[in-house]
Amino acid sequence: MYSKIKIRCGRLIGIISRNLSSAEISTALRPFYFSVHPDLFGKYPEQRKTNEHSLQQLSALLEAQQSNRNMTMSTLPFYLRQKDMPEGNFKLVNINLNSKNVRETVVKILNACDISTNYVDKIPRSAPKSINRDIDFTKAYKEYDTEFEKTVRMKRKVEEKKAITNIIDWISDNSLHGREKYELTSATREQVKSLINELCNIYGIKEVKYDSGWNISHIRGALQSLVSMASQHSKHMKNLKGFQCRTIALGQFTGVSLDGDVFLNIIDVRNEWLSLIKKVSQEDGALTEIPNYEKALSSILRDIHICRRKFMPKVSAAQYCSHLRQLITSIGDFYGSGKKFPESVPESLSKYEIVVEPEAGPLMVSPTGQFITPSSCPADELITFITHHLDEATLLLTEYSINKHVEKKLCKEVKERFGLIDLNKDDSITPGLMIMCCQRLLTRIDKLDTKLKGNILYVTHYYSVLSEGVLCIPWNFK
């Protein structure tokens, strides 16, 4: 916000100017995007084409107005998908966009679609606002002073009766402590970097990474053990170059991931690490087969995209191939018995994603719109589930595709405005949850002020200050 205050002859004249940021525009228009996004009109090419064209023009208009460039645009048509309307029936709205600035444009869009403008209304006005009235400064100060003292006394009584249960108090109490811890671990972090560089340069390892949940001192200890082991068994370290330059990951299990990364459990003894490195090439055969099996499964499920997710149960490449074969066989038998997809299912499912997990996995649609299936799921049940949940998956995929961009902008804004060293999140925090967390942080910037400057913030489900000074906060803080 930029502001000027001028005082002339006992009269106060204020001018306040505030432009909407890109993140604020994206957040305000999220409900609108969820109603008009072209991916929601896959079966209706005319409506899809109209919305695609109008969204392109709208994007150009918003960009021009943000840059204070003149661009003339009168009316844009949009088809709205509404929950209370039957399948195939849409509401056509023609939005008049002869507005002078971004705020007016956003408000006109929301009003035309009967979407609340509460979020925009709470953002300080961008239009000049003048205050021009006689003021008795002595009287005004006395009134302010009296009210201020009353408020302070009341606030003090309230705070005496309650524990620290809000983020303002918690950060005030812990931000300095976090910065001190971060400085104290700087030498350890430098040692970690040096050990990683040594492993990569001497043994041709592509990358060494580690789970951020581990204490940095434990990571240093594990890397020291790995360097020591590598120097004693350098001939076996050559195995990490056999298939391709490998990535070593210090985590919670020992084995080769589906991407070919060599995972070493940080609490395992060195002999278990060495045993894996000696036989790592045995996993390569299964790794080369994985793309073929995934391609085969995709082709018999109408080109659906086969994916993996971060929280997949840890399995070897050979086990994963077995799971894919099991599901491919089941679907093959489904077709072999004369069955097929219902006619309501599109000929191509290439815009959708499916994750195949072990036999005990769930059958569900993930928060990001992926179909999750256990390898043991009967084909009849899987096809039925996909058929009945295509709309849900479409909406979640669309929401995720929009949210991930909004999340990126908001995270950048939070990092810059609070002066953070870094801002990260737990894998379980979806873009939607991160967006809400960032928005609520920004509404408290006047109270937090510079308290977070020089800190690392980690969004998760609890409050904590890690040993290396990282401040952990819950996404739904109070």
Side-chain angles (χ1 to χ4, degrees), residues 204-219:
I205 295 169
K206 180 180 179 182
E207 181 186 5
V208 178
K209 56 187 180 181
Y210 52 86
D211 190 332
S212 59
W214 288 103
N215 182 299
I216 193 68
S217 296
H218 292 163
I219 296 298

Side-chain angles (χ1 to χ4, degrees), residues 323 326 357-362 374-377:
H323 296 152
Q326 183 179 8
E357 297 195 343
E359 296 182 0
S375 59
S376 59
C377 182

Side-chain angles (χ1 to χ4, degrees), residues 256 258 286 289-290 292-298 300-301 306-308 312-332 354-362 372-379 382:
V256 177
L258 302 184
E289 288 299 317
I290 286 176
N292 297 329
Y293 282 117
E294 290 183 335
K295 185 177 180 180
L297 179 60
S298 174
I300 61 176
L301 285 178
I306 313 300
C307 294
R308 303 161 197 169
M312 281 183 68
K314 303 302 181 183
V315 296
S316 68
Q319 287 175 314
Y320 183 58
C321 284
S322 176
H323 296 152
L324 292 174
R325 280 198 304 269
Q326 183 179 8
L327 192 56
I328 290 170
T329 300
S330 177
I331 297 172
I354 192 169
V355 177
V356 180
E357 297 195 343
E359 296 182 0
I372 311 294
T373 180
S375 59
S376 59
C377 182
L382 176 60

Side-chain angles (χ1 to χ4, degrees), residues 362-402:
L363 177 59
M364 59 178 282
V365 179
S366 76
T368 58
Q370 294 178 320
F371 290 105
I372 311 294
T373 180
S375 59
S376 59
C377 182
D380 294 76
E381 187 176 339
L382 176 60
I383 301 300
T384 299
F385 184 82
I386 292 174
T387 302
H388 291 163
H389 292 82
L390 284 176
D391 284 345
E392 179 186 356
T394 299
L395 289 170
L396 290 171
L397 280 170
T398 301
E399 182 177 355
Y400 176 69
S401 68
I402 295 171

